[in-house]
């Protein structure tokens, strides 16, 4: 277990550095923006990396009590979410629950089967409902056209009758 961290000559930390003693198994770092919280988490994450992948900018930072062979550091920050959830199609064992995993897997598979049944039902019912709606729309459109043309004819007759009356009246007046 890490008992102490010393951060030197990186980001907001001076070459003299800062010592963080008396660490426990679980530690919370909080502070103002720019106070060095992210630098600490990045340094701790860097300790987990293989030597050829680790960053040399942390060369002046040290820990007391960390053994890379037997310890694993989990840093839950924005990069953790990105590395483990956003940039992956597969999450490696993060959700290991306990010995009841078989029971949970059975429940998950049962729910997946229900989803398949619902999807199949939806796919079989949707086309027939869609056809019924299209037929109803077509029928309603045709009925509307007939009604409109019927009303138009009545209007045309009225209009022509009106013109004849006006013309006849106009001719008689002269």
């Amino acid at each position: 277990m890490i008992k102490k961290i010393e951060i030197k000559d990186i980001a907001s930390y001076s070459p003299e550095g800062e010592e963080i003693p008396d660490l426990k198994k679980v530690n919370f770092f909080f502070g103002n923006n720019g106070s060095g919280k992210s630098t600490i988490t990045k340094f701790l994450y860097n300790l987990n990396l293989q030597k050829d992948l680790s960053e040399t900018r942390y060369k002046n930072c040290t820990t007391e009590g960390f053994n890379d062979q037997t310890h694993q550091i989990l840093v839950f920050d924005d990069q953790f979410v990105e590395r483990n959830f956003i940039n992956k199609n597969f999450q490696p064992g993060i959700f290991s629950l306990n010995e009841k995993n078989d029971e949970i897997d059975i429940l998950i598979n049962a729910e997946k089967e229900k989803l398949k049944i619902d999807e199949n039902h939806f796919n079989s019912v949707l086309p027939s409902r869609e056809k019924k709606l299209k037929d109803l729309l077509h029928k309603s459109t045709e009925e509307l056209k007939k009604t409109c043309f019927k009303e138009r004819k009545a209007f045309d007759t009225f209009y022509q009758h009106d013109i004849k009356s006006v013309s006849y009246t106009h001719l008689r007046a002269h």
Side-chain angles (χ1 to χ4, degrees), residues 78-135:
D78 292 342
Q79 287 78 26
F80 175 86
V81 172
E82 191 170 314
R83 282 189 306 270
N84 291 285
F85 299 102
I86 296 172
N87 291 334
K88 285 196 170 187
N89 292 329
F90 172 76
Q91 280 74 42
I94 293 172
F95 301 104
S96 177
L97 300 171
N98 61 21
E99 64 274 355
K100 294 184 182 180
N101 284 351
D102 289 339
E103 183 180 327
I104 292 169
D105 288 342
I106 290 167
L107 292 172
I108 289 171
N109 288 331
E111 291 301 316
K112 283 181 180 179
E113 286 302 315
K114 286 181 188 176
L115 284 173
K116 282 182 188 177
I117 291 167
D118 290 345
E119 186 178 349
N120 290 339
H121 175 72
F122 180 74
N123 289 335
S124 67
V125 169
L126 183 64
S128 64
R129 286 190 180 171
E130 184 178 22
K131 183 179 179 341
K132 285 179 186 177
L133 286 173
K134 284 182 178 179
D135 290 346

Side-chain angles (χ1 to χ4, degrees), residues 46 48-56:
N46 193 62
N48 278 332
L49 298 176
Q50 296 172 357
K51 296 298 179 203
D52 58 331
L53 296 175
S54 64
E55 296 184 37
T56 58

Side-chain angles (χ1 to χ4, degrees), residues 29-69:
F29 295 96
F30 56 92
N32 294 328
N33 289 341
S35 63
K37 302 177 302 290
S38 294
T39 302
I40 293 169
T41 61
K42 289 174 185 173
F43 165 63
L44 292 173
Y45 177 74
N46 193 62
L47 290 174
N48 278 332
L49 298 176
Q50 296 172 357
K51 296 298 179 203
D52 58 331
L53 296 175
S54 64
E55 296 184 37
T56 58
R57 64 185 179 145
Y58 298 105
K59 65 182 180 289
N60 296 322
C61 303
T62 60
T63 62
E64 184 182 297
F66 177 68
N67 179 343
D68 64 350
Q69 301 300 313

